[in-house]
Every structure is written in structure tokens, then in C-alpha cells.
Amino acid sequence: MMLLGRLLSAARFAPNASAATRSSRLLSQMQFHLRRTLLPSYGLGLPHSYSCYNCFKRAMSTNDAKSDRQGPTIRVQDDPSHPFEFTCDEEPHMLGMQRGGPIGYIPLQLGQVFEDLEGGQYEIVRKLGWATNSSVWLAKKKRGLNERYVAVKILTVNYTRGIESGEFFELEVWRRFREVRYKSKWETPAHPGFKHCVEPQAVFTAESPHGTHMCFVEELSGSTLDELQVGQPGFTFPLPVVKRAIKQILLALDFVHTELKLVHADVKAGNVFIQMDAGTEDIERYLRDHPPETYPPRSAPELWSGPIITVKSQPLPNMGLKPSLENLNVALGDFGGAVPLDKISEEVKIVTPPLLRPPELLLGHLWSTPIDVWAVGCMVFECLTGASLFQVERTPKLDETAVHLSRMVEHLGTFPAAFLDKSSKRADYFDETGTLLRVPEPLGTGPLESWFGNFLHIRENMSDADVKATCAFMRRCLAIVPAERATAAELLDDEWFGGR
């Protein structure tokens, strides 16, 4: 298994091999290995059946040690007369694979070491957080006399199997990053958006009692943009800060769309990471003052034969970031839901958050890179107001999609007939004239310009000219028809950025 781990993170191939041949060879080797090893997990020999409920949560704040990080509650269902419940401290790493759940987290402990092909070793020194399909760890990478800190994202067994089956494309994303690196002769690619992406630098696999986990090595980042926003006055950013962040996100998207030929498909503030200005000594100093912690050991024989020891999520602070945010630099990350342009189909699993889904995803219309641009328009609104652009909730007579479409009409205008005619779910929500079949009570906020301009924070801190220009920029992102939506490159030339 160690040999395989070394193989997967190879950075050198035969010198006469082309980038495409090298990457394809490595990819096929990994897929062959996965087909051999991703069998039903070992299991723990437990007779119980169980389910998880409550939301899966990740560490939410880099500055608040008391932020809510509690994991799901597990209910053992094999004996109704003797119910058993266990609330996890964080991710349920004691559980093996169960159908329908994001189970199969690696039960990792501090001090464990992984190795790659080049002799690089990754010593796990801290947990940074966890999400639905992975946990993220701070590791000290050692190669010869060189040492530096990196982030290692370790996928669940369930998600690893999804990559092997072709349901997700994160391994293909890594391959495409490598090809761009190769074309640049392993120097930083010339495209200005590259430096605003969280690049998967290496990949290897790790084994646990649950099965095989794919692991991605990435550059260290600070908090996410939404976490940073929570700490701002009024939970909003000043306009210059938003412009700076959005411009960098658009640079990243132009690189992703044109160089990597991908749709990110999960653009949101929670996947935009703050780039740190810190060296190894800075991180060492912080770790000495803030050592890693674990929760007290717990016992649950129904779930795990030994003591259950969970490492606490302790994200790093935004080292080097000024309080004014004037030196804010961000990077678009989490490519777990990204889709290659040549793989788009009706069968592809969409991970775009419901509130950020554009009309084409809601109505079964052809989709592509414009879905990422739509999400940028929503982000501008959220960063400046602290509220979601579309206020959506289920009503006794309407589902969320019907309410969502109604809010779009209220804020953006009617849907063009030509667009609806090409939407497979049109009949579920619109009549033959293009009128919504079911309409909830209107918010009373009206078009986008009124809705945005009526926020007290906006009225007090932005001029009429800034409000008008910002709404015009959002409108370019939020065109109902995907083909009429501006591209990332076109938006970078928008006059909205003229004041920067």
C-alpha cells in the first residue's frame, strides 16, 4: 500500500513522455488500483445497524474556539427495546460504510505519517476541519532537509468510491492542474487566475479499517470568506473589499473555465479561502502557543471496539491579514464537485447549493460554465448585505423550487419563452404563456435594484452611483438565459472595477 501511495503522488515520469501521456498513465494506474481495492469495507464485526441524523458540520470559525462543531447523532436500531444513541464530538470516524450516508471518515490520530513517491513524508500535526465528504489536516511535509506545512484533505471511503465510479471528478481535476504545470515547465503558469486557485499539489491513498481513502495535498489557507464575513461589523464587507475579492474569484474562474476546461459547480463564499502570508517559522510559533487538542476518550462498544478518540478541529488564523482587509487575497478551492466540460450530462451529480442554483439547473436546461457566474452574482449580494439574494422557504402548498423561481421573477423579471421551451421541467412550474403556475406571497421588495438598495447598510455606506453600478454588475451575472450571461473574462473588464 505504501508503494501505491508513492506512485500516486509521482512528480517525475520518463523524460520522453508527454504531459498527456504521463497524466493519463498515472490516472489509469490509480483507477486500476481502486477497482482492485475498493471492495466492501472490512467492517468492524458489529451486528448493529445504525443511522445518522442531524446536519454534518465543519469547523466554522478560525477565531472562535467555542464555535459549534458538534457532529451527528448516531442511533443504533437493531433492538427497539434497547435504543442507543451516540452524539459524535465531530465527524463520525468510528463508522464504516453505510448506504445513503457520507460515512467512512478516516480515524486519524496526531503523529501519523504518510509517504509519497519522492520520499516526501507528511506528519499529521493538527486537524483543521471537516466537511460532508472529507476531513482536512495540517501536516508537516519533510523531504530531505526541507520542511514546510501543507494541508491534506482526506476523503471518506464513500466519496473515494464515487471518484472511482465516475460520479465525481476530483482526480481528473488534479490531472488537469498537472498538465497546466507541465506546459509551464513546472513554473507558475502565466494565467493570473492560477494563483487564486487552491491547487491540488499531490495525491496518494491511505488505508483505514473502513477501506481506502484518497488524499489530496494542498497549499495552506486561512479561513473561508464566509467565516471572515461573520466577524465583520454588521456581517458585511465594505464595497472595496468585495470588489477585490470578486475580481480575484473571477480571475480564478477564467482560469478554471478556459485553461482547465472545468465547471467548478460549487462557487460560494464557503469555498473561497483566505491566502495566508506566513512562513514555516510563523506557523511553528503559532503551534507552540496553540497546541493541538483531542476530546476526552469515549466508549461505545456498539460502534467501536476500543476507545473513541476524536481530534479537535483547530483552524489556523488568517496570518498576515490586516484588520482593514486591504491586503486580502483569496483563492477558489474545493474542486470536489467540479465537472469537466466534456463530461457534462444529465447523469452528472450537481453539488451546487440550492440557493445558488441558476434557472437552468432548476428547470432542466442545458448548463455549463455560466452556472459559476450566476453564483458570483449571488455572492456579491451576500457579501454586501449579509443576506441571501433569494429568500426561499417551503410553504404548505409550494416546494422550494417553486418559491425560488418566483423570487427570480420578482427580482430579475420574466423568463424568456425561448429559454422555457428548451427546459425539460417547464411544465412543472410554468403554463404555456410562461406564467408561473403557483406563486407565493411576494416579498414586496420588487426588482433587484429596490431589494438591494433598501438595506440600511447599503443606504448608509454606498452612494447612489455605487448602488447603480453594483446592481448593473449583478445583472450581468444574473441573466436568466445562460448564453446572455457575461463570462468571467467579460466581467473582469466591467466598469464596476474601474475604481480599483
Side-chain angles (χ1 to χ4, degrees), residues 30 56 71 77 99 117 139 148 159 162 166-167 174 202 212 217 253 275 288 297 307 314 328 391 418 420 476 478:
M30 183 168 199
F56 283 80
Q77 300 174 328
R99 187 177 68 180
L117 179 63
R148 68 186 185 95
Y159 195 78
E167 185 177 6
W174 168 75
T212 302
V217 179
L253 283 177
Q275 294 181 321
R288 286 195 297 269
Q314 297 173 279
L328 174 68
Q391 300 292 308
L420 291 176
R476 296 190 71 193
L478 300 169

Side-chain angles (χ1 to χ4, degrees), residues 32 153 268 428:
F32 173 73
K153 181 170 71 170
K268 59 184 179 182
D428 295 337

